[in-house]
Amino acid sequence: NAGVTQTPKFRILKIGQSMTLQCTQDMNHNYMYWYRQDPGMGLKLIYYSVGAGITDKGEVPNGYNVSRSTTEDFPLRLELAAPSQTSVYFCASSPTRSNNSPLHFGNGTRLTVT
Amino acid sequence: DQQVKQNSPSLSVQEGRISILNCDYTNSMFDYFLWYKKYPAEGPTFLISISSIKDKNEDGRFTVFLNKSAKHLSLHIVPSQPGDSAVYFCAASDTGNTDKLIFGTGTRLQVFP
């Protein structure tokens, strides 16, 4: 019963490098989300997806890209890493879009850009 | 502009006593509120929620109170246990959709023996 799995757990990037944060869920949830959490701040939505092939921007999408080719996977791409992208990234999923279906979160990826 | 505020970054409570975590919001259109709990090195997990048509929701040791006129909600944990030590996030939505959830900054609760 894995739930939402994120890899890697930690990563250090140099400015300008690119990387993909992986997220996969085994609960057959249609809705998936990427959040970032900066120190002392709440979680902010980067991108979300309502199903395979459909993605949309959240509150802070600049500098990121996503794709959703399958129900299970929702990778987050950073093309040109910047120090402002130093954060903890959480992937989440839910079976519906309603607030009655709370989000299921992964354990996060801690990213440092230097 | 922080629409959901948790003004106490931390709270320390003795085991067995009541823990009260507070959350204030500014958007009067928010109609659904949730609390998430987060342990170190883990993702947040859902704890309890409340709709704006209610003023109280209870689940075991956890009770959430909503005061719409004051735009304030609180989470009560009674009795507090050491395993409750975690960061608690308040979240709110005005559309009924999970993609519009606004999270607070969190309150770190420490329950000591």
Side-chain angles (χ1 to χ4, degrees):
Chain A
N1 191 14
V4 178
T5 303
Q6 291 184 239
T7 56
K9 287 186 170 57
F10 306 94
R11 184 74 186 267
I12 298 174
L13 279 182
K14 293 190 185 304
I15 295 171
Q17 286 185 321
S18 62
M19 77 164 293
T20 299
L21 283 70
Q22 301 291 347
C23 175
T24 187
Q25 52 95 6
D26 62 359
M27 297 174 283
N28 201 33
H29 288 172
N30 283 324
Y31 298 87
M32 296 188 74
Y33 314 82
W34 273 106
Y35 286 90
R36 60 178 285 173
Q37 185 194 6
D38 299 330
M41 303 293 288
L43 284 79
K44 293 194 183 295
L45 184 64
I46 305 171
Y47 269 97
Y48 67 99
S49 170
V50 302
I54 307 170
T55 62
D56 207 348
K57 295 178 181 178
E59 187 181 356
V60 289
N62 292 344
Y64 306 94
N65 280 301
V66 292
S67 59
R68 184 94 182 272
S69 56
T70 66
T71 299
E72 295 78 20
D73 300 307
F74 190 39
L76 178 71
R77 178 84 178 162
L78 283 73
E79 290 294 349
L80 289 171
S84 61
Q85 293 177 305
T86 293
S87 190
V88 180
Y89 292 83
F90 290 101
C91 179
S93 71
S94 63
T96 75
R97 202 174 188 174
S98 167
N99 282 317
N100 291 326
S101 296
L103 303 176
H104 298 255
F105 284 89
N107 287 337
T109 295
R110 184 176 294 275
L111 175 68
T112 302
V113 182
T114 61
Chain B
D1 179 28
Q2 190 71 21
Q3 297 186 67
V4 178
K5 301 176 185 178
Q6 294 177 257
N7 292 318
S8 297
S10 63
L11 176 67
S12 190
V13 172
Q14 189 171 29
E15 182 179 5
R17 298 214 178 234
I18 184 172
S19 296
I20 301 176
L21 293 87
N22 294 306
C23 179
D24 297 294
Y25 60 95
T26 57
N27 187 343
S28 58
M29 298 301 291
F30 285 149
D31 60 3
Y32 203 86
F33 305 88
L34 306 93
W35 286 93
Y36 283 84
K37 175 180 179 179
K38 184 185 178 305
Y39 292 118
E42 295 184 10
T45 56
F46 170 72
L47 187 59
I48 192 169
S49 63
I50 188 167
S51 165
S52 61
I53 62 173
K54 295 184 175 182
D55 54 18
K56 175 183 174 182
N57 189 26
E58 193 171 354
D59 184 1
R61 295 185 297 114
F62 302 91
T63 303
V64 57
F65 295 93
L66 176 62
N67 183 334
K68 291 185 286 294
S69 61
K71 296 193 185 67
H72 176 83
L73 65 156
S74 60
L75 174 67
H76 292 214
I77 307 174
V78 183
S80 302
Q81 299 174 353
D84 296 329
S85 298
V87 177
Y88 291 78
F89 291 98
C90 170
S93 172
D94 64 355
T95 66
N97 294 333
T98 50
D99 53 275
K100 296 296 186 285
L101 268 181
I102 304 294
F103 283 84
T105 54
T107 296
R108 182 178 302 277
L109 172 67
Q110 182 180 5
V111 180
F112 60 93

